[in-house]
Amino acid sequence: MLGGILVKLAFVACLVSVLAFLENHRSGNSRALSLARAAFHASVVTILVFSALQLYYILTHQFQYTYIWSYSSRDLSTPLLISTFYAGQEGSFMLWTLFTALIGVFLLQDSSRKGYEPQVMSVYGTIQLALLLMMVVKDPFAYVWESWPGQVEVGFVPQDGRGLNPLLQNYWMVIHPQVLFSGFSAMGVPYAYAIAALMKRDYTNWIRPATPWIVYGATVLGCGIMMGGFWAYETLGWGGYWAWDPVENSSLVPWLFSVATIHTILSQRKSGAFVRTNIVLAILCFVTVLYSTFLTRSGVLGDTSVHSFVAPGMWVYWLLIAVITLFTGIGILMLVLRSKEMPRIPPKHSYFSREFALFLGSATLVSAAVFVTVGTSAPIITQILQGKTTAVDISYYVTTTLPLGIAIGILAGVGQLLWWNRTDSKGMLKILSPSVGIAAVSALGMMLFFDLNNFQVALFVFGAVFALIANLQVGWRIVKGNPKYAGGSVAHVGLAVMFLGFVGSSTYDERQTLSLTEGEPVQALGYTLTYTGNKPIDHEKFAFSVDVERDGKAYTIAPIMYYSKFNEGLMRNPDILNLITKDFYVAPLSLEQRGKEDGTPGKSMSFRKGETKSLGDLEVTFVGFDVPMAEKASMLEGGGARIGATLLIKEYGKKPVEIVPAKLISGDHVSDRPAAYESKYEFRIANMNADRAGSDAPAVEIAFADLSAPEAKEKDILVVEASIKPYINLVWSGVIILLVGFTVTIVRRAQEARALTSHASELL
């Protein structure tokens, strides 16, 4: 209850802040400005308090709250418990709100110094207001009895929670969402500055204070995207770092718009042109974040994305649409109102100038963003046009973005080599010749000596090598002069290295599906693989050890496979042998247990509740059915459920042990989760009658298998997909270099903006 009240208080304080900032913008009333600042800070403090309160509830296992019961459990480690803060819809909105509030504190001070405070903060505060409204509707502090009224007794506290999705139980997920949502929050700043520029009728100066924020947003969002890529590579077993999944694409599109904005802003700073273009792009940076949020959280992509959120309910669905409409409408309305006033400054540069290269680069990035958006929206488009949801094939993205990637590589080199305004054709040839020559030789060499048969990929290599050489050439000169100007060159070097990593890891990727009989070596891809057995590593996961040998060097890798009670399905985590020039990647597919092909033991016993029967030297007692209250609530909600049969096993000279074989029910699908007693017997439910209203007591038929029987000792077969990822470290290295370049640029642009503000203050 306290948390819900705090959310509403933060909403009210933020609303007061927005109205007061708007009043100050309208009238210049200084008292309104003081009220706006106080209300905004009050809102931020309240957000901090309810966020801390939620974290406290999570760490102290307060399962009476629906959100905490849904995503947390007692067996999670402290870092994973913290990550449940943002594992679900409500928590991720809270995290987004928290980062928006924290960035807002710095933005308020920065925009105040730059003379944009009432305009920027009224818009930015509206963004925070929309996020808080989402939390009012989708209350993260709702009790379980409020979520299932009449079905769960008021005051009931579940003993444990449902737990965290196993896919999210990874160290990258402990930090990746924070970085990603920090990027989403930062994307609100260029939007706020663009609208503020339209409110102030200041169409040129706004880009200087806004530039560091745009570069910051692009840096953080880009970092978050690649963290997600590494998580997918390491955890999901896709065999790669990028699968054009809608959730991945939804983060990529705002990033492409932000990088496009950076390039056209550079051009406007030099030529004064692209006034409208920059305002529109800055608006799109945030609007596409909202559209991405709608795609991944409304449930519209639930059938076409492996990790989008489920449908949040109609209220949130329509609220998401309303928020997109609001912020898009504000942008369009302000553009229309100011359209006639905005200066039209025609470009004066030649085609052989850095300005034109920047424009082409920006246009290429926008084109890529449009293609990705259309492909990601395909399920919605086909639903409207054909009445069914259909996702585009991955080949669509490759076909549309590969030519654009070639252009981006070439322009990343050309833009650095050309001068501002104009470069004469003779000078241009002299400048370009070394880079073009090396790039051409590299691409031709790849085709002749490395079996590169795809001409488009060869052009992509040409573009990447050209960008690399050109930026090393220019960057070295800059570093010798003033290193703080080297941000662009460093970022483009990182881009080129990353592109080359894309080619190496995808074009020369080799893969093979293998059946590894336990203890029998298998030759594949130049390696010798031997499956040596499996062992439990926690309460439900199993590691499958595979010895890998090549050229006298031996390694052991252990991919993981297990049945997940949470997901009610088989989960697979690959393991990776990281080498300098390549990764050896092993993804488990299945385990074939010999002698158990039909999956059902041949003998069984029937029990009534409390009945005891002998099994060899064991006494087995059916204690009763195990259906936790949480599972009942899940069934009532339409979700899956687990029904267990508690068996008490007694063996002479040992303490009695309880085991719980179970049936897992998901819709019309029913599967078994057997339970074993030591290495002697495996039990599963063959049949059951749990009807307490009937004339008979609850009864169950338990099937059992003797694990010490000869047929159970036959060798298991582990089926895996082994693959080699050449030069994949270039991808990660390129990303790091790219982010370093962005960081250098942030520092430089922030210093320039501060110097400009100081100069303006001195003139006043």
Side-chain angles (χ1 to χ4, degrees), residues 305-329:
S305 171
V306 298
H307 59 316
S308 68
F309 287 87
V310 297
M314 291 308 293
W315 271 105
V316 175
Y317 179 88
W318 287 109
L319 185 56
L320 284 169
I321 292 179
V323 169
I324 295 172
T325 306
L326 172 67
F327 287 98
T328 308

PDB file of all heavy atoms in Angstrom, residues 305-329:
ATOM      1  N   SER A 305       8.624 -13.157 -31.166  1.00  0.00           N
ATOM      2  CA  SER A 305       9.864 -12.803 -30.488  1.00  0.00           C
ATOM      3  C   SER A 305      10.095 -13.770 -29.344  1.00  0.00           C
ATOM      4  O   SER A 305       9.163 -14.121 -28.624  1.00  0.00           O
ATOM      5  CB  SER A 305       9.804 -11.371 -29.948  1.00  0.00           C
ATOM      6  OG  SER A 305      10.926 -11.117 -29.133  1.00  0.00           O
ATOM      7  N   VAL A 306      11.360 -14.187 -29.187  1.00  0.00           N
ATOM      8  CA  VAL A 306      11.650 -15.145 -28.122  1.00  0.00           C
ATOM      9  C   VAL A 306      11.708 -14.483 -26.759  1.00  0.00           C
ATOM     10  O   VAL A 306      11.606 -15.155 -25.742  1.00  0.00           O
ATOM     11  CB  VAL A 306      12.991 -15.862 -28.375  1.00  0.00           C
ATOM     12  CG1 VAL A 306      12.930 -16.658 -29.654  1.00  0.00           C
ATOM     13  CG2 VAL A 306      14.158 -14.882 -28.396  1.00  0.00           C
ATOM     14  N   HIS A 307      11.838 -13.161 -26.709  1.00  0.00           N
ATOM     15  CA  HIS A 307      11.918 -12.564 -25.389  1.00  0.00           C
ATOM     16  C   HIS A 307      11.227 -11.214 -25.286  1.00  0.00           C
ATOM     17  O   HIS A 307      11.673 -10.335 -24.585  1.00  0.00           O
ATOM     18  CB  HIS A 307      13.349 -12.490 -24.880  1.00  0.00           C
ATOM     19  CG  HIS A 307      14.293 -11.702 -25.751  1.00  0.00           C
ATOM     20  ND1 HIS A 307      14.338 -11.789 -27.092  1.00  0.00           N
ATOM     21  CD2 HIS A 307      15.246 -10.821 -25.407  1.00  0.00           C
ATOM     22  CE1 HIS A 307      15.284 -11.008 -27.554  1.00  0.00           C
ATOM     23  NE2 HIS A 307      15.848 -10.400 -26.551  1.00  0.00           N
ATOM     24  N   SER A 308      10.075 -11.090 -25.964  1.00  0.00           N
ATOM     25  CA  SER A 308       9.273  -9.903 -25.720  1.00  0.00           C
ATOM     26  C   SER A 308       8.365 -10.183 -24.528  1.00  0.00           C
ATOM     27  O   SER A 308       8.157 -11.324 -24.136  1.00  0.00           O
ATOM     28  CB  SER A 308       8.434  -9.548 -26.948  1.00  0.00           C
ATOM     29  OG  SER A 308       7.451 -10.530 -27.163  1.00  0.00           O
ATOM     30  N   PHE A 309       7.801  -9.114 -23.960  1.00  0.00           N
ATOM     31  CA  PHE A 309       6.946  -9.285 -22.802  1.00  0.00           C
ATOM     32  C   PHE A 309       5.580  -9.804 -23.245  1.00  0.00           C
ATOM     33  O   PHE A 309       5.160  -9.606 -24.386  1.00  0.00           O
ATOM     34  CB  PHE A 309       6.760  -7.947 -22.079  1.00  0.00           C
ATOM     35  CG  PHE A 309       7.980  -7.508 -21.331  1.00  0.00           C
ATOM     36  CD1 PHE A 309       8.975  -6.777 -21.969  1.00  0.00           C
ATOM     37  CD2 PHE A 309       8.146  -7.842 -20.001  1.00  0.00           C
ATOM     38  CE1 PHE A 309      10.093  -6.372 -21.274  1.00  0.00           C
ATOM     39  CE2 PHE A 309       9.265  -7.443 -19.307  1.00  0.00           C
ATOM     40  CZ  PHE A 309      10.235  -6.702 -19.945  1.00  0.00           C
ATOM     41  N   VAL A 310       4.877 -10.461 -22.310  1.00  0.00           N
ATOM     42  CA  VAL A 310       3.539 -10.934 -22.623  1.00  0.00           C
ATOM     43  C   VAL A 310       2.576  -9.753 -22.584  1.00  0.00           C
ATOM     44  O   VAL A 310       2.920  -8.655 -22.150  1.00  0.00           O
ATOM     45  CB  VAL A 310       3.085 -11.997 -21.609  1.00  0.00           C
ATOM     46  CG1 VAL A 310       3.980 -13.215 -21.693  1.00  0.00           C
ATOM     47  CG2 VAL A 310       3.098 -11.432 -20.193  1.00  0.00           C
ATOM     48  N   ALA A 311       1.338  -9.983 -23.041  1.00  0.00           N
ATOM     49  CA  ALA A 311       0.343  -8.912 -23.083  1.00  0.00           C
ATOM     50  C   ALA A 311       0.116  -8.352 -21.683  1.00  0.00           C
ATOM     51  O   ALA A 311      -0.129  -9.100 -20.735  1.00  0.00           O
ATOM     52  CB  ALA A 311      -0.957  -9.457 -23.653  1.00  0.00           C
ATOM     53  N   PRO A 312       0.192  -7.021 -21.510  1.00  0.00           N
ATOM     54  CA  PRO A 312       0.092  -6.440 -20.178  1.00  0.00           C
ATOM     55  C   PRO A 312      -1.333  -6.109 -19.769  1.00  0.00           C
ATOM     56  O   PRO A 312      -1.565  -5.604 -18.696  1.00  0.00           O
ATOM     57  CB  PRO A 312       0.905  -5.148 -20.341  1.00  0.00           C
ATOM     58  CG  PRO A 312       0.652  -4.750 -21.756  1.00  0.00           C
ATOM     59  CD  PRO A 312       0.484  -6.025 -22.544  1.00  0.00           C
ATOM     60  N   GLY A 313      -2.308  -6.361 -20.621  1.00  0.00           N
ATOM     61  CA  GLY A 313      -3.686  -5.956 -20.340  1.00  0.00           C
ATOM     62  C   GLY A 313      -4.076  -4.774 -21.197  1.00  0.00           C
ATOM     63  O   GLY A 313      -3.232  -4.025 -21.699  1.00  0.00           O
ATOM     64  N   MET A 314      -5.380  -4.605 -21.403  1.00  0.00           N
ATOM     65  CA  MET A 314      -5.862  -3.585 -22.345  1.00  0.00           C
ATOM     66  C   MET A 314      -5.557  -2.170 -21.871  1.00  0.00           C
ATOM     67  O   MET A 314      -5.287  -1.291 -22.682  1.00  0.00           O
ATOM     68  CB  MET A 314      -7.369  -3.764 -22.553  1.00  0.00           C
ATOM     69  CG  MET A 314      -7.720  -5.033 -23.314  1.00  0.00           C
ATOM     70  SD  MET A 314      -6.794  -5.185 -24.869  1.00  0.00           S
ATOM     71  CE  MET A 314      -7.487  -3.827 -25.810  1.00  0.00           C
ATOM     72  N   TRP A 315      -5.590  -1.958 -20.544  1.00  0.00           N
ATOM     73  CA  TRP A 315      -5.330  -0.605 -20.059  1.00  0.00           C
ATOM     74  C   TRP A 315      -3.926  -0.138 -20.468  1.00  0.00           C
ATOM     75  O   TRP A 315      -3.744   0.964 -20.978  1.00  0.00           O
ATOM     76  CB  TRP A 315      -5.467  -0.560 -18.535  1.00  0.00           C
ATOM     77  CG  TRP A 315      -6.857  -0.255 -18.074  1.00  0.00           C
ATOM     78  CD1 TRP A 315      -7.770  -1.119 -17.548  1.00  0.00           C
ATOM     79  CD2 TRP A 315      -7.510   1.024 -18.097  1.00  0.00           C
ATOM     80  NE1 TRP A 315      -8.940  -0.478 -17.249  1.00  0.00           N
ATOM     81  CE2 TRP A 315      -8.810   0.859 -17.576  1.00  0.00           C
ATOM     82  CE3 TRP A 315      -7.131   2.301 -18.520  1.00  0.00           C
ATOM     83  CZ2 TRP A 315      -9.724   1.896 -17.463  1.00  0.00           C
ATOM     84  CZ3 TRP A 315      -8.036   3.339 -18.406  1.00  0.00           C
ATOM     85  CH2 TRP A 315      -9.318   3.140 -17.891  1.00  0.00           C
ATOM     86  N   VAL A 316      -2.950  -0.996 -20.219  1.00  0.00           N
ATOM     87  CA  VAL A 316      -1.572  -0.624 -20.560  1.00  0.00           C
ATOM     88  C   VAL A 316      -1.408  -0.561 -22.074  1.00  0.00           C
ATOM     89  O   VAL A 316      -0.699   0.313 -22.599  1.00  0.00           O
ATOM     90  CB  VAL A 316      -0.584  -1.637 -19.937  1.00  0.00           C
ATOM     91  CG1 VAL A 316       0.835  -1.341 -20.385  1.00  0.00           C
ATOM     92  CG2 VAL A 316      -0.685  -1.600 -18.420  1.00  0.00           C
ATOM     93  N   TYR A 317      -2.055  -1.476 -22.791  1.00  0.00           N
ATOM     94  CA  TYR A 317      -1.979  -1.481 -24.264  1.00  0.00           C
ATOM     95  C   TYR A 317      -2.419  -0.118 -24.821  1.00  0.00           C
ATOM     96  O   TYR A 317      -1.701   0.512 -25.613  1.00  0.00           O
ATOM     97  CB  TYR A 317      -2.877  -2.604 -24.789  1.00  0.00           C
ATOM     98  CG  TYR A 317      -2.921  -2.720 -26.296  1.00  0.00           C
ATOM     99  CD1 TYR A 317      -1.989  -3.508 -26.972  1.00  0.00           C
ATOM    100  CD2 TYR A 317      -3.892  -2.049 -27.042  1.00  0.00           C
ATOM    101  CE1 TYR A 317      -2.031  -3.622 -28.348  1.00  0.00           C
ATOM    102  CE2 TYR A 317      -3.934  -2.158 -28.417  1.00  0.00           C
ATOM    103  CZ  TYR A 317      -3.009  -2.950 -29.072  1.00  0.00           C
ATOM    104  OH  TYR A 317      -3.047  -3.063 -30.440  1.00  0.00           O
ATOM    105  N   TRP A 318      -3.589   0.339 -24.396  1.00  0.00           N
ATOM    106  CA  TRP A 318      -4.091   1.615 -24.920  1.00  0.00           C
ATOM    107  C   TRP A 318      -3.318   2.801 -24.352  1.00  0.00           C
ATOM    108  O   TRP A 318      -3.188   3.838 -25.006  1.00  0.00           O
ATOM    109  CB  TRP A 318      -5.587   1.743 -24.615  1.00  0.00           C
ATOM    110  CG  TRP A 318      -6.395   0.834 -25.494  1.00  0.00           C
ATOM    111  CD1 TRP A 318      -7.056  -0.296 -25.136  1.00  0.00           C
ATOM    112  CD2 TRP A 318      -6.576   0.966 -26.922  1.00  0.00           C
ATOM    113  NE1 TRP A 318      -7.642  -0.888 -26.234  1.00  0.00           N
ATOM    114  CE2 TRP A 318      -7.377  -0.132 -27.339  1.00  0.00           C
ATOM    115  CE3 TRP A 318      -6.149   1.882 -27.870  1.00  0.00           C
ATOM    116  CZ2 TRP A 318      -7.732  -0.320 -28.668  1.00  0.00           C
ATOM    117  CZ3 TRP A 318      -6.515   1.691 -29.194  1.00  0.00           C
ATOM    118  CH2 TRP A 318      -7.301   0.604 -29.575  1.00  0.00           C
ATOM    119  N   LEU A 319      -2.810   2.648 -23.132  1.00  0.00           N
ATOM    120  CA  LEU A 319      -1.997   3.732 -22.569  1.00  0.00           C
ATOM    121  C   LEU A 319      -0.702   3.893 -23.360  1.00  0.00           C
ATOM    122  O   LEU A 319      -0.257   5.021 -23.617  1.00  0.00           O
ATOM    123  CB  LEU A 319      -1.691   3.437 -21.100  1.00  0.00           C
ATOM    124  CG  LEU A 319      -0.951   4.546 -20.335  1.00  0.00           C
ATOM    125  CD1 LEU A 319      -1.718   5.861 -20.406  1.00  0.00           C
ATOM    126  CD2 LEU A 319      -0.742   4.129 -18.882  1.00  0.00           C
ATOM    127  N   LEU A 320      -0.089   2.782 -23.770  1.00  0.00           N
ATOM    128  CA  LEU A 320       1.122   2.857 -24.596  1.00  0.00           C
ATOM    129  C   LEU A 320       0.823   3.573 -25.911  1.00  0.00           C
ATOM    130  O   LEU A 320       1.602   4.416 -26.372  1.00  0.00           O
ATOM    131  CB  LEU A 320       1.649   1.449 -24.870  1.00  0.00           C
ATOM    132  CG  LEU A 320       2.379   0.742 -23.716  1.00  0.00           C
ATOM    133  CD1 LEU A 320       2.609  -0.730 -24.043  1.00  0.00           C
ATOM    134  CD2 LEU A 320       3.713   1.422 -23.434  1.00  0.00           C
ATOM    135  N   ILE A 321      -0.303   3.228 -26.523  1.00  0.00           N
ATOM    136  CA  ILE A 321      -0.676   3.904 -27.769  1.00  0.00           C
ATOM    137  C   ILE A 321      -0.904   5.398 -27.519  1.00  0.00           C
ATOM    138  O   ILE A 321      -0.480   6.250 -28.315  1.00  0.00           O
ATOM    139  CB  ILE A 321      -1.949   3.252 -28.368  1.00  0.00           C
ATOM    140  CG1 ILE A 321      -1.615   1.830 -28.855  1.00  0.00           C
ATOM    141  CG2 ILE A 321      -2.517   4.097 -29.494  1.00  0.00           C
ATOM    142  CD1 ILE A 321      -2.795   1.089 -29.434  1.00  0.00           C
ATOM    143  N   ALA A 322      -1.554   5.712 -26.386  1.00  0.00           N
ATOM    144  CA  ALA A 322      -1.815   7.125 -26.063  1.00  0.00           C
ATOM    145  C   ALA A 322      -0.514   7.890 -25.861  1.00  0.00           C
ATOM    146  O   ALA A 322      -0.378   9.046 -26.304  1.00  0.00           O
ATOM    147  CB  ALA A 322      -2.682   7.207 -24.811  1.00  0.00           C
ATOM    148  N   VAL A 323       0.462   7.260 -25.210  1.00  0.00           N
ATOM    149  CA  VAL A 323       1.750   7.932 -24.964  1.00  0.00           C
ATOM    150  C   VAL A 323       2.481   8.184 -26.277  1.00  0.00           C
ATOM    151  O   VAL A 323       3.024   9.282 -26.508  1.00  0.00           O
ATOM    152  CB  VAL A 323       2.607   7.084 -24.004  1.00  0.00           C
ATOM    153  CG1 VAL A 323       4.036   7.611 -23.949  1.00  0.00           C
ATOM    154  CG2 VAL A 323       2.005   7.082 -22.608  1.00  0.00           C
ATOM    155  N   ILE A 324       2.489   7.189 -27.163  1.00  0.00           N
ATOM    156  CA  ILE A 324       3.128   7.395 -28.475  1.00  0.00           C
ATOM    157  C   ILE A 324       2.430   8.524 -29.219  1.00  0.00           C
ATOM    158  O   ILE A 324       3.076   9.412 -29.793  1.00  0.00           O
ATOM    159  CB  ILE A 324       3.057   6.098 -29.309  1.00  0.00           C
ATOM    160  CG1 ILE A 324       3.867   4.993 -28.659  1.00  0.00           C
ATOM    161  CG2 ILE A 324       3.572   6.346 -30.728  1.00  0.00           C
ATOM    162  CD1 ILE A 324       3.684   3.644 -29.329  1.00  0.00           C
ATOM    163  N   THR A 325       1.104   8.491 -29.201  1.00  0.00           N
ATOM    164  CA  THR A 325       0.332   9.536 -29.902  1.00  0.00           C
ATOM    165  C   THR A 325       0.626  10.911 -29.323  1.00  0.00           C
ATOM    166  O   THR A 325       0.782  11.898 -30.060  1.00  0.00           O
ATOM    167  CB  THR A 325      -1.175   9.226 -29.796  1.00  0.00           C
ATOM    168  OG1 THR A 325      -1.417   7.904 -30.270  1.00  0.00           O
ATOM    169  CG2 THR A 325      -1.996  10.222 -30.601  1.00  0.00           C
ATOM    170  N   LEU A 326       0.711  10.984 -27.975  1.00  0.00           N
ATOM    171  CA  LEU A 326       0.954  12.269 -27.317  1.00  0.00           C
ATOM    172  C   LEU A 326       2.282  12.878 -27.752  1.00  0.00           C
ATOM    173  O   LEU A 326       2.328  14.026 -28.223  1.00  0.00           O
ATOM    174  CB  LEU A 326       0.934  12.070 -25.795  1.00  0.00           C
ATOM    175  CG  LEU A 326       1.372  13.291 -24.971  1.00  0.00           C
ATOM    176  CD1 LEU A 326       0.348  14.414 -25.122  1.00  0.00           C
ATOM    177  CD2 LEU A 326       1.559  12.921 -23.502  1.00  0.00           C
ATOM    178  N   PHE A 327       3.356  12.108 -27.613  1.00  0.00           N
ATOM    179  CA  PHE A 327       4.672  12.690 -27.881  1.00  0.00           C
ATOM    180  C   PHE A 327       4.919  12.879 -29.383  1.00  0.00           C
ATOM    181  O   PHE A 327       5.594  13.827 -29.780  1.00  0.00           O
ATOM    182  CB  PHE A 327       5.761  11.829 -27.247  1.00  0.00           C
ATOM    183  CG  PHE A 327       5.801  11.958 -25.758  1.00  0.00           C
ATOM    184  CD1 PHE A 327       5.185  11.025 -24.945  1.00  0.00           C
ATOM    185  CD2 PHE A 327       6.409  13.055 -25.167  1.00  0.00           C
ATOM    186  CE1 PHE A 327       5.199  11.156 -23.565  1.00  0.00           C
ATOM    187  CE2 PHE A 327       6.428  13.205 -23.796  1.00  0.00           C
ATOM    188  CZ  PHE A 327       5.808  12.250 -22.982  1.00  0.00           C
ATOM    189  N   THR A 328       4.356  11.992 -30.203  1.00  0.00           N
ATOM    190  CA  THR A 328       4.454  12.221 -31.654  1.00  0.00           C
ATOM    191  C   THR A 328       3.631  13.442 -32.035  1.00  0.00           C
ATOM    192  O   THR A 328       4.069  14.284 -32.850  1.00  0.00           O
ATOM    193  CB  THR A 328       3.943  10.984 -32.427  1.00  0.00           C
ATOM    194  OG1 THR A 328       4.615   9.822 -31.949  1.00  0.00           O
ATOM    195  CG2 THR A 328       4.182  11.132 -33.909  1.00  0.00           C
ATOM    196  N   GLY A 329       2.443  13.547 -31.438  1.00  0.00           N
ATOM    197  CA  GLY A 329       1.566  14.688 -31.742  1.00  0.00           C
ATOM    198  C   GLY A 329       2.189  16.007 -31.332  1.00  0.00           C
ATOM    199  O   GLY A 329       2.096  17.003 -32.058  1.00  0.00           O
TER     200      GLY A 329
END
